């Protein structure tokens, strides 16, 4: 999806090349069809090839996927997500990022 958003459209060949040939063309096509079936992409035919375009805004897709992640892996608990993120040693949060999170939490508390 990142490539489709970055480029505005993508073909199976584009995606296969971006993945450095580590996946078969048929697997790439299956993946693109699955994303289309889920409503993330649509295709246009250009001769014999399909060009896939994102049909939902990146932010809308991100919100939906985060919601699904929270429900699936954290039982709907946002605080569990935050605790997991904060406990990850690979994630180096700056003071500015922590201040921004604090501001968001305080804003969420307001009626």
């Amino acid at each position: 999806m990142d490539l489709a958003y970055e480029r505005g459209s993508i073909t199976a060949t584009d995606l296969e090349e971006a993945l450095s040939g580590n996946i078969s063309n048929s697997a790439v096509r299956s993946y693109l069809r699955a994303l289309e079936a889920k409503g993330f992409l649509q295709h246009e035919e250009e001769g014999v090839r399909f060009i896939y375009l994102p049909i939902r805004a990146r932010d809308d897709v991100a919100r939906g996927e985060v919601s699904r992640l929270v429900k699936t892996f954290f039982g709907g608990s946002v605080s569990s997500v935050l605790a997991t993120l904060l406990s990850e040693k690979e994630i180096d949060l700056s003071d500015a990022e922590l201040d921004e999170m604090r501001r968001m939490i305080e804003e969420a508390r307001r009626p």
Side-chain angles (χ1 to χ4, degrees):
M1 285 299 302
D2 283 343
L3 286 175
Y5 283 119
E6 288 170 14
R7 298 177 181 187
S9 66
I10 194 165
T11 65
T13 302
D14 294 336
L15 185 54
E16 187 178 6
E17 288 172 1
L19 297 172
S20 305
N22 293 329
I23 188 168
S24 71
N25 185 270
S26 62
V28 168
R29 290 179 192 280
S30 294
Y31 178 68
L32 290 169
R33 281 192 303 273
L35 289 174
E36 186 173 27
K38 290 180 178 185
F40 296 125
L41 299 173
Q42 68 181 15
H43 77 269
E44 296 176 353
E45 293 182 39
E46 186 178 275
V48 294
R49 63 185 204 156
F50 285 9
I51 298 174
Y52 291 88
L53 304 113
I55 56 174
R56 293 175 50 201
R58 186 181 211 142
D59 289 345
D60 291 343
V61 172
R63 274 192 294 281
E65 291 302 297
V66 166
S67 177
R68 187 175 64 81
L69 175 102
V70 171
K71 289 175 189 168
T72 302
F73 294 102
F74 297 94
S77 172
V78 174
S79 61
S80 292
V81 174
L82 186 56
T84 300
L85 289 172
L86 293 174
S87 70
E88 285 298 313
K89 301 301 180 209
E90 292 83 28
I91 298 175
D92 186 26
L93 296 167
S94 68
D95 287 341
E97 289 172 311
L98 292 168
D99 289 343
E100 178 65 9
M101 282 190 239
R102 184 177 293 112
R103 184 198 61 74
M104 286 189 257
I105 290 168
E106 288 170 4
E107 188 176 301
R109 284 186 172 154
R110 292 187 192 135

